[in-house]
Amino acid sequence: MIEEVTRKSLKIRPSGRSSDFISPSFGWGCLYNCSYCYMKRHKPKGLSIAKNISQILTEINTHAVFAKHEIKKPNQTHPEYLTYDISCNEDFALHAKYHNWKEIFNFFKNHDDILGTFATKYVNPKLLEYNPKGKIRIRFSMMPENKRKLHEPNTSTIMERIKAVDKFKKSGYDVHLNFSPIIVYKGWLNDYEELFTLINNNISNKIGIFAECIFLTHNKDMHFNNIIDGRIKEEEDLWRPEMQEGKTSQYGGKNVRYRHKIKKEFIDAFIREHDSTIPWNKIRYIF
């Protein structure tokens, strides 16, 4: 179900990782059904689309007037522009046809101080018809293809996402890679070695492509929902209590993550594998 709503909350939240800030939601929910999706914990079905786009953009504009004096540049999100994640609660590329997406992109393209960014699992060819002149950043999500098939059904294949990088850069987008979630399982490093090799061999324009790396965070309610839905194989990857511990998110959610000590070992191993194959893909942050 897709519904249009007036977005009442216009709060802009600090981020500091994928972006400097998180904008009010243009969309809430997702039409994909990824096994680990945190949005499904809050909105299991359907998608709501904000009708008051102009009001949201005005709020971002007002916020940027003051924020540009508070955020020192360059920083890891961008050397010059304030960055706003416009798709924290949806997959914007997948849902673009439900948005007046060109109005949103034009706002960022024509603004002197800000850049819009979003992560996606969908290669949307319609977006290639638009040149944002570097003011929209697309972060293509990456994981080994065998796990993409299991955990991200019906999304664009990993090879489609990799091959889209050059196309989107040529069209004027800023493009990064989003290794998220990184799931640890038997043979995971071998699979990532293969993924990194695919990336290295199929991206020609390697300049300015950075990476963000986020290890899996899961949730007990989502775990039980997956079991009820028959997603047993998925949970064999996601629910690993022997190596997970509780975590309260910055917004109060009760989740689980890899235990601190062994997670450090996982991070170190991931970085070694990554940097040995695609050192040009500088890691912006990893946790």
Side-chain angles (χ1 to χ4, degrees):
M1 181 180 68
I2 299 167
E3 60 178 348
E4 290 189 344
V5 299
T6 298
R7 187 67 63 219
K8 295 181 180 179
S9 175
L10 299 180
K11 183 177 181 180
I12 294 174
R13 297 177 290 164
S15 176
R17 285 175 171 160
S18 63
S19 62
D20 293 312
F21 301 101
I22 299 171
S23 82
S25 298
F26 292 98
W28 181 269
C30 191
L31 300 182
Y32 280 143
N33 190 28
C34 298
S35 63
Y36 52 79
C37 179
Y38 71 88
M39 271 306 300
K40 297 296 183 182
R41 305 169 196 169
H42 308 293
K43 188 176 177 66
K45 296 181 180 180
L47 171 68
S48 66
I49 298 294
K51 294 189 293 185
N52 51 329
I53 288 177
S54 295
Q55 189 177 9
I56 294 173
L57 296 179
T58 298
E59 192 71 18
I60 295 172
N61 183 66
T62 302
H63 182 273
V65 170
F66 298 96
K68 69 180 181 180
H69 301 296
E70 300 173 1
I71 302 295
K72 294 182 179 180
K73 295 289 179 174
N75 65 6
Q76 66 88 12
T77 74
H78 196 276
E80 180 181 357
Y81 300 121
L82 293 170
T83 55
Y84 289 80
D85 193 320
I86 65 172
S87 182
C88 190
N89 295 312
E90 64 163 334
D91 189 314
F92 193 91
L94 176 66
H95 304 147
K97 64 183 179 181
Y98 303 113
H99 293 288
N100 188 350
W101 63 270
K102 287 185 180 179
E103 178 184 353
I104 297 170
F105 283 14
N106 283 337
F107 168 77
F108 286 96
K109 182 172 74 171
N110 297 322
H111 200 292
D112 291 335
D113 301 314
I114 65 178
L115 173 147
T117 178
F118 60 90
T120 184
K121 302 175 183 68
Y122 176 55
V123 179
N124 187 337
K126 293 295 291 184
L127 302 187
L128 290 171
E129 299 171 6
Y130 181 93
N131 182 354
K133 297 185 177 180
K135 299 298 292 297
I136 296 292
R137 173 184 293 161
I138 293 183
R139 292 136 41 217
F140 283 110
S141 296
M142 297 285 160
M143 68 166 51
E145 174 62 15
N146 62 325
K147 295 302 179 182
R148 195 281 310 173
K149 291 179 180 178
L150 179 64
H151 294 289
E152 300 176 352
N154 303 316
T155 62
S156 297
T157 68
I158 296 302
M159 185 57 78
E160 287 171 337
R161 301 179 203 178
I162 293 171
K163 289 188 174 181
V165 170
D166 283 337
K167 296 176 183 177
F168 276 82
K169 284 177 67 68
K170 186 176 180 180
S171 291
Y173 290 85
D174 185 23
V175 182
H176 286 187
L177 303 182
N178 169 240
F179 296 99
S180 171
I182 301 170
I183 303 170
V184 176
Y185 52 89
K186 185 177 181 180
W188 72 287
L189 282 176
N190 291 333
D191 286 350
Y192 272 96
E193 179 184 15
E194 181 178 340
L195 172 60
F196 298 148
T197 300
L198 285 175
I199 291 170
N200 193 56
N201 292 344
N202 289 280
I203 295 178
S204 298
N205 186 354
K206 297 176 170 65
I207 298 173
I209 300 176
F210 296 96
E212 55 188 0
C213 309
I214 305 169
F215 278 77
L216 172 71
T217 298
H218 200 31
N219 177 277
K220 182 181 288 187
D221 291 339
M222 192 70 183
H223 165 65
F224 287 121
N225 287 338
N226 279 340
I227 295 297
I228 292 170
D229 289 342
R231 305 181 84 167
I232 307 302
K233 289 185 177 180
E234 291 89 332
E235 283 304 308
E236 289 175 358
D237 282 344
L238 303 178
W239 190 254
R240 301 288 300 277
E242 75 279 7
M243 60 181 188
Q244 290 171 326
E245 63 184 5
K247 173 196 175 184
T248 302
S249 74
Q250 59 180 317
Y251 303 112
K254 301 293 184 181
N255 305 314
V256 295
R257 64 181 175 187
Y258 298 120
R259 293 177 184 171
H260 180 75
K261 184 175 181 180
I262 59 174
K263 184 176 179 179
K264 183 181 184 306
E265 296 174 1
F266 296 155
I267 288 174
D268 291 344
F270 182 92
I271 292 174
R272 284 195 301 271
E273 200 67 61
H274 174 278
D275 289 356
S276 68
T277 307
I278 48 174
W280 50 267
N281 179 227
K282 180 180 177 182
I283 295 176
R284 290 171 51 209
Y285 64 90
I286 183 169
F287 70 94

